[in-house]
Each structure stands twice: as structure tokens, then as C-alpha cells.
Amino acid sequence: RAKVGILISGRGSNMQSLVAASRAADAGYDVALVASDKPEAAGLAWAAEQGIATFALSPKGIGKPAYEAAIDQALRSAGVEVIALAGYMRLLSGDFVARWRGRIVNIHPSLLPLYKGLDTHARAIAAGDAKAGCSVHIVTEELDDGEVLGQAEVPILPGDDATALAARVLVEEHRLYPQVLTEFVRR
Ligand code: GAR
């Protein structure tokens, strides 16, 4: 079974779905570490309660290179082989991505290549799109770029605001991410 490290910045609901799915016999992976750039992230407390190793460090005051070196060290100490970003709201440096090339995946709440970056749901509604969704992709130096490994779609319904649409997409994120991660660690 592959050892996965999950990086979060907040709530961590995708992290929770990855952890829950990892408990299945055929998941193909175990979650070895949950790390965050936000020591107060709600997801960290949840992971600790589950008995999962956690690591928290803010880049504030120490700078990005020192911060990323510490995260890298924590991941390697935990034996992590694959990194899953789950609501991790920071851009990883080219150096960090190079050290883990092809071994970092991310979930993004849009049908990539549409709507890279923030405010994906509001932008999809404003554009008059009929559908939205989420994508799991390999992380490269470019924001929300890299090979798309899987996507799920939902309809955009009349009267949707960003909150309503985000909730509909999130249900699909929780289903898609564990499925794609299981396929990814096997390939
Ligand atoms: C999720 O919708 C995820 O797709 C999105 O943030 C949310 C995190 O929720 N990620 C991004 O926007 C990445 N740029 P969670 O903490 O409950 O998983």
C-alpha cells in the first residue's frame, strides 16, 4: 500500500473522505501524514483524533523556502510517497514540485481547463454554463495545470448561487478523489 501525505489549509472535508476510503481493504493507500500551513485548520484536529500523524507550520515569519523544506522533511520522515493536496490554498514552488515530480495530485473545483484559480463556482455561473464539476490532476509548476486524472460533472440549476453550486460539487469531490487516488497509486 502506498503511503500518502495530505496537505490541507482548512476544513479538510476532502481529506476526511480520503482517510475514510483508505480504510477499505482495496484502497491501495494509507494516509501517513496530514500537514497544514494553517496550525488552526479544523481538519488537523480531526486527523489527530483519528490517530493520524499531523504536522503544522505557518510560512509566516520563516519564508517560503524554509517552510517548504520543513514540510518536505516531515513528509519524507513519515515515509510519504504520494502527496494529495486537499484544499491546500498555497502555490507550491517549482523546486518543491521538482522534488516530487509526478507524485503530487490535487483536487480543483472546476472542469479543468476551465476556471483555474479561485472563485470557480461564481465564474461558472456568471458565464452561463450549464454544468460545473471537479477535477483531480497531477500538480506541475503551473497553477491548476498538469494531466487531468479524473473529472465529475454536476448541473448548474436555475437560481444557483456559488454556495449552492459549491455544495453540489463538493459531494462529487468526496466521491471522485478517493477513486482517482486509488487508481493513481496503482498505475
Ligand atoms: C474544495 O472544494 C477543494 O476542491 C477546493 O477547496 C475546497 C476545500 O474544501 N480547492 C481549491 O480551491 C484549490 N485551489 P475541504 O477543505 O473541505 O476539502
Side-chain angles (χ1 to χ4, degrees):
R1 289 167 76 90
K3 287 193 175 187
V4 171
I6 305 179
L7 299 190
I8 65 169
S9 294
R11 180 176 59 179
S13 71
N14 275 291
M15 176 272 296
Q16 292 188 25
S17 83
L18 292 176
V19 168
S22 75
R23 293 181 175 138
D26 59 354
Y29 70 92
D30 290 309
V31 177
L33 184 72
V34 174
S36 182
D37 60 321
K38 296 260 198 288
E40 70 282 8
L44 273 181
W46 183 88
E49 280 167 22
Q50 302 293 307
I52 298 168
T54 61
F55 179 81
L57 180 67
S58 170
K60 290 195 187 109
I62 63 168
K64 188 156 177 164
Y67 161 76
E68 285 192 341
I71 293 276
D72 183 77
Q73 182 56 47
L75 291 163
R76 289 180 197 279
S77 299
V80 166
E81 301 162 278
V82 170
I83 300 173
L85 307 183
Y88 181 71
M89 302 309 276
R90 240 168 236 291
L91 194 57
L92 292 167
S93 71
D95 277 355
F96 187 94
V97 173
R99 269 181 269 132
W100 291 87
R101 185 164 307 286
R103 294 190 291 142
I104 311 175
V105 295
N106 179 44
I107 187 152
H108 182 73
S110 78
L111 296 172
L112 291 173
L114 292 175
Y115 312 123
K116 297 176 180 182
L118 299 176
D119 298 323
T120 55
H121 305 105
R123 286 153 68 202
I125 292 168
D129 294 353
K131 63 186 185 185
C134 50
S135 307
V136 178
H137 66 95
I138 294 182
V139 171
T140 66
E141 286 81 354
E142 302 297 324
L143 177 68
D144 300 327
D145 211 54
E147 180 190 350
V148 172
L149 300 169
Q151 290 184 317
E153 292 181 7
V154 302
I156 298 179
L157 301 177
D160 265 353
D161 60 9
T163 305
L165 180 55
R168 192 175 308 123
V169 171
L170 192 65
V171 172
E172 293 305 311
E173 294 186 41
H174 294 163
R175 195 184 54 74
L176 178 72
Y177 206 176
Q179 184 185 310
V180 172
L181 185 59
T182 289
E183 289 166 11
F184 180 73
V185 299
R186 291 214 174 112
R187 81 177 197 173

